[in-house]
Amino acid sequence: MLTVQTADLADFLTARPIEPESFAKLHGLPARERTIPKQHDVLPPDTDPASAQLLLAGYAGRYRMLRDGRRQITAILVPGDLCDPGAVLARRSDYAVTALTRCTVGEIPLSRIAVLDRRDLAVALGHRLRRDEAIAREWIVCLGRRSGIERMAHLLCELRWRLAVMGLATENGFEMRITQNDLADALGLTPVHVNRVLKCLRDGQLIQLKGGA
């Protein structure tokens, strides 16, 4: 399973390679690890979280649910991502976060983060938010203008790049155990269409899928 070690919060936020020093050791803060089963919420809807969640292992997704039960995944999170920057900034999130695979998160109490040097934290959060906004803009283009094949190809390339930054991908491959239903909710497609798109990419020898990679 994709895994990174608990590290300095700034390294997670700026997506630099993981350092061996832990956040707890550097700042005397607790970072309790918690395992989240697949398809269970890391951050439930409409909550006022008391902790920030660092994704240490697995894939998670931010999402919004429509009243009729349809779901839109608005971001796929990989190890090293902060699941809930809204919680750190405003102690309130207008989205929920679910575990797309079995996940491990590191919980850091917001009350303890509040006593840190806010300037350093603001710079690190600003860097991460700008990166997230750039990714979100590309997702908007995908949903608005790109074909199903283009959406899938872009997502696969994006995930490989983001995982490579964290040392979790090779030049030509990475672990991916996200279900086709979850991919459909992220790409604005039906599961049947996702299956067709993946088959087209495989038949064209553009991708290989084997053993969850």
Side-chain angles (χ1 to χ4, degrees):
M1 183 170 67
L2 294 173
T3 304
V4 296
Q5 299 300 312
T6 307
D8 187 338
L9 180 59
D11 286 324
F12 282 98
L13 294 175
T14 57
R16 297 197 303 269
I18 296 299
E19 299 290 340
E21 295 290 336
S22 72
F23 186 64
K25 181 177 179 180
L26 287 171
H27 299 288
L29 298 178
R32 182 174 69 92
E33 290 191 12
R34 181 165 64 103
T35 299
I36 312 295
K38 180 179 178 179
Q39 302 302 338
H40 284 64
D41 278 343
V42 177
L43 178 68
D46 300 318
T47 57
D48 297 320
S51 300
Q53 315 283 331
L54 293 173
L55 184 60
L56 303 178
Y59 283 101
R62 296 188 191 117
Y63 73 92
R64 295 286 295 272
M65 189 72 75
L66 301 181
R67 291 186 178 183
D68 61 5
R70 288 177 296 164
R71 180 182 67 164
Q72 178 65 50
I73 293 176
T74 60
I76 291 178
L77 308 175
V78 302
D81 280 341
L82 186 65
C83 295
D84 44 2
V88 177
L89 292 170
R91 297 196 176 222
R92 181 74 179 178
S93 297
D94 60 357
Y95 52 80
V97 180
T98 191
L100 302 179
T101 65
R102 183 173 177 268
C103 290
T104 302
V105 298
E107 293 185 334
I108 302 175
L110 295 178
S111 60
R112 302 296 296 274
I113 292 178
V115 303
L116 295 180
D117 186 329
R118 304 301 293 180
R119 292 169 298 176
D120 291 345
L121 186 58
V123 169
L125 278 171
H127 185 285
R128 173 49 59 94
L129 289 173
R130 286 192 296 274
R131 194 210 68 162
D132 286 354
E133 287 174 358
I135 292 172
R137 282 192 293 271
E138 286 298 320
W139 278 45
I140 292 171
V141 174
C142 280
L143 293 173
R145 292 300 181 194
R146 289 183 176 132
S147 68
I149 289 177
E150 290 170 331
R151 295 179 199 184
M152 180 65 73
H154 183 276
L155 178 61
L156 295 176
C157 290
E158 174 199 311
L159 291 175
R160 197 216 69 84
W161 175 77
R162 290 168 61 195
L163 291 168
V165 169
M166 304 305 294
L168 298 173
T170 65
E171 182 177 354
N172 294 315
F174 57 92
E175 181 181 320
M176 190 182 77
R177 300 182 182 275
I178 302 173
T179 68
Q180 292 187 15
N181 284 339
D182 290 337
L183 289 173
D185 285 351
L187 297 174
L189 305 172
T190 66
V192 172
H193 197 170
V194 166
N195 186 272
R196 291 197 195 106
V197 165
L198 290 173
K199 183 178 185 302
C200 184
L201 291 172
R202 287 197 302 267
D203 291 346
Q205 299 184 358
L206 295 170
I207 65 170
Q208 295 180 10
L209 297 175
K210 184 177 181 181

